Amino acid sequence: MSNGSTPPAPRRRLRGTLLVVVAAVAVVGLGGWLVWRSPGAGGEPPRAGGISGHGTGHRPAGEDGGHGSRGSGPGKGQGSLRGKVVVIDPGHNPHNRDHGREIARQVDIGNSRKECDTTGTSTDDGYAEASFTLDVARRARTLLQKAGAKVVFTQDGDRSYGPCVDKRAAIGNRAHADAALSLHADGSAAGNRGFHVILPARVTAGPADTAAIVKPSRRLGERLADRFHAITGSARSNYIGDGTGLDVRSDLGGLNLSTVPKVFLECGNMRDPKDAAQLTDARWRQKAARGITEGITDFLEH
């Protein structure tokens, strides 16, 4: 064993050999990179995330958003109704009962004259239709606004009475609504159960002309009935509409005087104990709002 300070000759030769090998690898690597970057040899490097310039890459999970019960398909998320106007007409008014003379005034609905408004019905234990319609309307407004829609109310409990049925139609017309919905609950006999949607008939008389809205209103009503049934679990009416949940009428000023697609939704029968149990349940009313929102969304997106 040597004890001098000069390294043995073989170690110097090994170090020199390694330096030559490293330099050669660097030159070869640089040359390959230059060839790969050349115009005819493979194009640009891939973009971060794997999404090409034509948008064909996979989106991150959940990017499209969507309604909770419907999955996350395109167009179902927040903002899918951006630019759309929805008018919601909460039927009656909690203060109508204090303004009997005012709401009894007759107004022109085209083919006849009817009362300005009515007090509406109630459950046997006193839950008023006007309170029900406002609650569901406000819940639906929140969901529709989350989807990007502009929501206009005909009344929000902020009027002393009404407005009259002709004014309710006029509010939707002035707003150029893409869809309008009047919310109600029925006051039929016990045993009559389920919801139904009222569609406008063809009426052309006086200030009424529904010719342009009959077909789109039917589509709105059909979508609404389908989604309302699916989300709430409520049956279609067993006493109106022959099992379809759809009814056509020509005696409602809110429909006769509308120039935009519009329907009425009778959410159930307040005088039937089983229906009343649903209508008075806040959790069910939230489902009703979801069904309404999804029905309107289906109509506006197709």
Side-chain angles (χ1 to χ4, degrees):
M1 174 183 294
S2 172
N3 58 1
S5 59
T6 302
R11 181 172 296 180
R12 285 199 300 269
R13 287 196 298 270
L14 177 60
R15 180 179 298 173
T17 301
L18 288 174
L19 288 173
V20 171
V21 171
V22 170
V25 170
V27 170
V28 171
L30 178 60
W33 182 82
L34 290 172
V35 170
W36 179 77
R37 287 290 295 174
S38 66
E44 293 183 45
R47 295 176 183 266
I51 301 178
S52 78
H54 296 288
T56 57
H58 296 292
R59 297 185 179 213
E63 184 175 327
D64 285 321
H67 297 297
S69 64
R70 310 216 29 213
S72 55
K76 303 303 182 191
Q78 293 187 4
S80 65
L81 298 184
R82 195 175 310 282
K84 301 295 185 181
V85 178
V86 177
V87 170
I88 299 182
D89 174 29
H92 312 289
N93 183 319
H95 309 299
N96 276 358
R97 64 178 179 270
D98 301 321
H99 296 272
R101 185 171 67 177
E102 290 88 346
I103 66 172
R105 178 171 62 85
Q106 298 283 300
V107 298
D108 186 0
I109 67 166
N111 55 4
S112 66
R113 297 183 68 83
K114 290 190 75 169
E115 297 90 347
C116 158
D117 203 1
T118 65
T119 58
T121 188
S122 66
T123 63
D124 288 342
D125 61 2
Y127 181 51
E129 180 185 0
S131 298
F132 168 81
T133 61
L134 267 178
D135 181 80
V136 175
R138 288 166 177 164
R139 293 171 186 267
R141 174 173 59 189
T142 297
L143 297 176
L144 287 163
Q145 287 176 336
K146 285 182 179 179
K150 175 183 178 182
V151 181
V152 177
F153 270 28
T154 59
Q155 60 94 12
D156 198 2
D158 52 353
R159 294 173 178 261
S160 56
Y161 68 91
C164 297
V165 293
D166 56 340
K167 301 300 182 186
R168 291 174 186 260
I171 291 170
N173 298 342
R174 285 197 303 268
H176 301 289
D178 295 288
L181 171 66
S182 189
L183 277 172
H184 290 268
D186 208 1
S188 187
N192 291 338
R193 295 200 61 198
F195 73 90
H196 65 278
V197 181
I198 304 174
L199 314 176
R202 175 72 178 266
V203 177
T204 52
D209 185 356
T210 62
I213 69 163
V214 168
K215 287 185 178 180
S217 295
R218 174 169 283 275
R219 287 194 294 106
L220 170 60
E222 290 171 346
R223 303 282 177 146
L224 185 61
D226 287 346
R227 298 311 304 162
F228 193 84
H229 169 67
I231 299 300
T232 65
S234 292
R236 299 168 194 262
S237 173
N238 65 4
Y239 63 103
I240 290 177
D242 297 322
T244 66
L246 302 175
D247 185 33
V248 178
R249 289 177 58 174
S250 62
D251 63 329
L252 297 173
L255 295 181
N256 287 4
L257 301 174
S258 181
T259 60
V260 299
K262 184 175 182 179
V263 298
F264 278 43
L265 172 61
E266 298 279 359
C267 296
N269 177 17
M270 293 195 121
R271 294 296 185 174
D272 178 80
K274 293 181 179 178
D275 271 12
Q278 293 182 330
L279 299 171
T280 55
D281 181 354
R283 291 170 300 179
W284 185 90
R285 293 197 299 273
Q286 186 63 28
K287 290 181 182 179
R290 284 176 49 214
I292 289 166
T293 298
E294 294 196 6
I296 291 174
T297 300
D298 276 359
F299 169 72
L300 293 177
E301 290 187 344
H302 296 92

